[in-house]
Amino acid sequence: MSTDQLKQQQQGVKTLQAIQSEVENINRIALSVDCVIFGFDENKLKVLLIKSDLKKYLGKWSLLGDLVFPNEDLDAAAYRVLKQRTGLSDVFLEQVHTFGTVSRHPAGRVVTVAYYSLINVQHHKLNTLDNELHWHDVKSINNMAFDHQQIFDTCLKQLQKRVQEHPLGFNLLPRKFSLRELQNLYEAILDFKMDRRNFRKKFFSMDFLIDLKEMEQDVPHRPGKLYRFNFEKYEKKKKKFIGIDF
Amino acid sequence: MSTDQLKQQQQGVKTLQAIQSEVENINRIALSVDCVIFGFDENKLKVLLIKSDLKKYLGKWSLLGDLVFPNEDLDAAAYRVLKQRTGLSDVFLEQVHTFGTVSRHPAGRVVTVAYYSLINVQHHKLNTLDNELHWHDVKSINNMAFDHQQIFDTCLKQLQKRVQEHPLGFNLLPRKFSLRELQNLYEAILDFKMDRRNFRKKFFSMDFLIDLKEMEQDVPHRPGKLYRFNFEKYEKKKKKFIGIDF
DNA sequence: AATATAATGTGTTTAATTTACACATTAAAT
DNA sequence: ATTTAATGTGTAAATTAAACACATTATATT
């Protein structure tokens, strides 16, 4: 062993060969993704959960996830889970946090990367055969399987924070929506009531709403105007801010 | 195969046995942590890097990281790297993002979880034998090994964002500091100049500074007052906000 | 057909926060 | 004794956020 190698070993520096050996044989760990899939329906924020089929967690609900394949990009695994469970592509998906305590999973050491996703519930139909999948009010869920309650709480907080920084909420709405629906959405996500006039002022001043010159149909009161979100304009604006974590 | 099992297979639902098998034998992946270790010295924000010893990246700098052991909590692995490289315990450490493209590492498939850490450079002495370790000005680094430039950029942005939400900067300063040093720190992190009077006003109004009734020594101008950060008060305040992502 | 109902649509005033800005003071260096 | 280079301090202006009320419209009711 050369002086250099000795020094490297003392310092914990590793050669490529040593690393390859460790990567291939020694230190591999099962890695999964878990998706907190949010939807908005009946003026409530919902999350898509599946009934756990593990004895230990019988009857409890868990997030939708799966192991990451050895040849699959991490984000791709999350999109795969989403696609498999909702049939949807091109949805909003953001990584939140990686949970990696040794004891978090009953089937052995599994590190999981948590994502949250925002989908338009109108665009998707749950497989009606798949009665293990259910939309839950976020306000009523507790006591989930594994450490999924913690993961869910973390993702909900992330959503609440992000939605106050960027107009993500539109991903949860149908293409056409009224300002009341938009406000209901924000109140459901953030769990507090807002001033109607200030809310409208704020969104109009952001200038991302396109007036569709249409009115709501079949509402039991004076119908409101319908708008759509100007995704194109928002994407342009985002590009200008690249580098400032926009 | 029962109807139930058939249905589960169709739906991608797995039994505990199937999961255990996958966890143990099939889908394991090498997992590493990488630490962006920030320091503050000579009024500049610094990052601790090591010279890459891989041929492919010869002469390039890389972050400090290591593979996660199969029996080691994820956060523990990051603390281990920190301790090994700086000798420090009880330092600020936050997980930022997990990088998981298949091709990111030359030694095979390695998913890495990125952390950033804030340390007081006065509290640590680099092993002088370890001439592969160096503090770099964050402004001058580019072209790092692997995808470490991207990881670094992501962590720096996270720091810049966090430091505007919470008083993390104190972790980078000596126990006693002047307001000018504090402002220099924030200007170094955020990379813009601030108004001196407004800066002082802001920090005094946060009420986390303890006046030590001492003055700077050995400065070539009128010495400023010395303060220390009231970590205890901050921790108390944080507790009140648990649940609001404080 | 007239009336009641329940929501939409719209501006202004006040309060709070952020920004801009100048001069006397102090200790060290000359 | 003078110069220098920083510290320490307050107020006014501008911007942003919060509070708040009434006329209008379509539906539902009588």
Side-chain angles (χ1 to χ4, degrees), chain B residues 166-167 170 203-211 228-241 246:
Chain B
H166 303 293
F170 299 100
F203 270 90
F204 284 133
S205 76
M206 292 195 327
D207 212 19
F208 287 131
L209 293 179
I210 296 174
D211 185 342
R228 73 174 180 87
F229 180 63
N230 195 337
F231 277 98
E232 301 76 19
K233 187 167 180 178
Y234 173 63
E235 292 301 327
K236 263 190 204 162
K237 199 158 202 168
K238 252 199 332 193
K239 279 193 192 130
K240 290 193 194 164
F241 281 87
F246 204 169

Side-chain angles (χ1 to χ4, degrees), chain A residues 144-162:
Chain A
M144 297 172 72
F146 316 107
D147 55 354
H148 284 192
Q149 186 73 42
Q150 185 193 1
I151 297 176
F152 169 76
D153 291 344
T154 303
C155 287
L156 177 56
K157 272 180 222 155
Q158 176 94 336
L159 169 61
Q160 289 175 332
K161 194 173 178 186
R162 283 278 189 273

Side-chain angles (χ1 to χ4, degrees), chain B residues 60-188:
Chain B
K60 295 201 177 182
W61 294 92
S62 59
L63 299 171
L64 299 172
D66 199 6
L67 292 173
V68 178
F69 300 147
N71 257 309
E72 182 181 40
D73 285 352
L74 188 58
D75 290 347
Y79 278 114
R80 170 168 57 80
V81 167
L82 257 171
K83 175 86 185 222
Q84 181 195 355
R85 296 304 190 171
T86 66
L88 297 175
S89 310
D90 296 316
V91 293
F92 177 91
L93 180 71
E94 188 188 6
Q95 191 195 113
V96 176
H97 192 83
T98 298
F99 295 83
T101 57
V102 172
S103 61
R104 60 169 292 281
H105 200 284
R109 212 281 162 92
V110 183
V111 171
T112 198
V113 184
Y115 289 78
Y116 75 97
S117 177
L118 305 177
I119 75 170
N120 177 341
V121 293
Q122 294 192 329
H123 285 174
H124 113 292
K125 284 274 167 285
L126 288 187
N127 184 343
T128 49
L129 293 173
D130 194 345
N131 57 14
E132 305 297 311
L133 270 186
H134 281 289
W135 286 104
H136 291 249
D137 276 17
V138 299
K139 284 189 131 180
S140 68
I141 68 169
N142 53 24
N143 198 12
M144 296 171 72
F146 316 106
D147 55 354
H148 284 192
Q149 186 72 42
Q150 185 194 359
I151 296 176
F152 169 75
D153 291 344
T154 303
C155 286
L156 177 56
K157 271 181 223 154
Q158 177 93 335
L159 170 60
Q160 290 174 332
K161 195 174 175 185
R162 283 280 188 272
V163 89
Q164 301 198 58
E165 298 169 344
H166 303 293
L168 306 180
F170 299 100
N171 294 291
L172 291 160
L173 289 178
R175 210 184 80 96
K176 300 177 181 185
F177 53 84
S178 68
L179 272 173
R180 163 53 56 190
E181 290 173 299
L182 186 60
Q183 184 171 344
N184 286 343
L185 170 65
Y186 275 78
E187 291 179 347

